[in-house]
């Protein structure tokens, strides 16, 4: 992937990159999932196509056991044929105008994705701009939420093994907005 911005916060690297997240070499990649972990389009569809149906099958077992995954939560599966070891499925909110808790729910989805990586003692994670595609969350507004969630996570987990957090999007529009507006 093409690195477009590099930041460091409390010794942790944060990189804004442009590329296909299914090709990322991070320990985990994050999927922008829905509550039923039915990976249809967007980044979710790309992850299942590249990683194999084992990712959808494992997701289906999780939903069979636990029921739907509430918006804001994140769960882990293997990554099939991908280079990453894990896929962390984070459920972001559907944009409904902004007065239905969307900001808090997106914050939780980002934070919980990082928390899953931390619990697995991973060193690197790559995540897309959850909710800002098919789910319609305004991209400019999402940047501040990603910034705050990542900063808060690092503040609250100073001893985490996580060394690198990448924000990886395939499209120029999202990449540019994060490149220009992301800060910690
Ligand atoms: N690599 C990197 N970024 C990507 C890729 C890719 N291969 N594909 C898309 N993006 P979206 P959402 C970017 O729509 O809004 C699915 O049907 C994209 O440009 O994937 O949370 C799920 O099953 C955008 O910036 O996620 C859910 O039902 C970002 O990834 C629903 O879509 C997120 O876009 C989730 O919608």
């Amino acid at each position: 992937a093409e690195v477009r911005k590099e930041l460091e916060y409390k010794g942790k690297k944060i990189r804004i990159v442009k590329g296909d997240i299914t090709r990322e070499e991070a320990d985990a990649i994050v999927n922008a999932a829905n509550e039923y972990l039915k990976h249809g389009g967007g980044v979710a569809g790309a992850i299942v196509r590249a990683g194999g149906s084992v990712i959808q099958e494992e997701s289906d077992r999780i939903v069979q056991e636990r029921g739907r995954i509430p918006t804001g939560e994140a769960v882990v599966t293997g990554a099939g044929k991908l280079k990453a070891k894990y896929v962390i499925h984070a459920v972001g909110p559907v944009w409904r105008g902004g007065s239905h808790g969307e900001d808090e729910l997106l914050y939780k989805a980002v934070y919980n994705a990082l928390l899953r990586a931390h619990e697995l003692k991973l060193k690197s994670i790559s995540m897309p701009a959850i909710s800002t595609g098919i789910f319609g969350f305004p991209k400019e507004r999402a940047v501040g939420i990603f910034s705050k969630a990542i900063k808060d996570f690092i503040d609250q987990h100073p001893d985490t093994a996580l060394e690198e957090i990448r924000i990886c999007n395939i499209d120029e529009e999202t990449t540019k907005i994060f490149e220009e507006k992301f800060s910690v």
Side-chain angles (χ1 to χ4, degrees):
E2 179 196 349
V3 178
R4 297 281 287 265
K5 187 173 194 169
E6 282 189 298
L7 301 99
E8 200 170 310
Y9 182 68
K10 297 193 173 174
K12 309 300 185 189
K13 289 263 186 260
I14 304 164
R15 291 191 170 95
I16 310 298
V17 307
K18 182 183 172 185
D20 182 349
I21 202 165
T22 65
R23 300 170 69 97
E24 284 280 271
E25 289 184 24
D27 294 333
I29 63 168
V30 175
N31 179 24
N34 57 51
E35 291 188 329
Y36 298 95
L37 305 183
K38 288 293 178 202
H39 312 309
V43 74
I47 287 171
V48 171
R49 281 195 301 278
S53 56
V54 57
I55 296 172
Q56 183 63 70
E57 288 155 16
E58 199 178 333
S59 297
D60 291 343
R61 281 198 296 277
I62 291 171
V63 175
Q64 275 163 26
E65 281 168 18
R66 304 177 35 163
R68 80 182 163 88
I69 309 303
T71 299
E73 296 298 317
V75 300
V76 182
T77 68
K81 294 178 280 189
L82 301 178
K83 283 184 199 144
K85 299 187 193 85
Y86 301 98
V87 178
I88 299 173
H89 304 270
V91 183
V94 176
W95 179 256
R96 293 198 287 148
S99 59
H100 295 81
E102 291 94 330
D103 289 346
E104 294 75 14
L105 290 165
L106 180 58
Y107 176 94
K108 276 190 70 182
V110 174
Y111 194 97
N112 282 322
L114 296 170
L115 197 54
R116 293 294 96 79
H118 166 70
E119 290 163 355
L120 290 163
K121 300 187 161 46
L122 305 184
K123 287 188 175 166
S124 58
I125 184 173
S126 186
M127 64 167 78
I130 300 161
S131 281
T132 72
I134 293 164
F135 279 0
F137 198 106
K139 290 176 188 289
E140 313 253 353
R141 185 172 174 136
V143 180
I145 294 170
F146 273 74
S147 300
K148 178 135 177 34
I150 291 169
K151 181 177 185 291
D152 287 353
F153 178 83
I154 294 170
D155 286 340
Q156 290 158 21
H157 300 83
D159 299 325
T160 185
L162 209 50
E163 289 170 358
E164 183 178 5
I165 299 164
R166 296 162 70 91
I167 296 176
C168 174
N169 288 283
I170 203 162
D171 65 303
E172 179 58 26
E173 185 197 1
T174 309
T175 306
K176 210 172 181 65
I177 292 170
F178 273 79
E179 182 183 355
E180 286 170 1
K181 303 244 157 67
F182 186 92
S183 67
V184 282

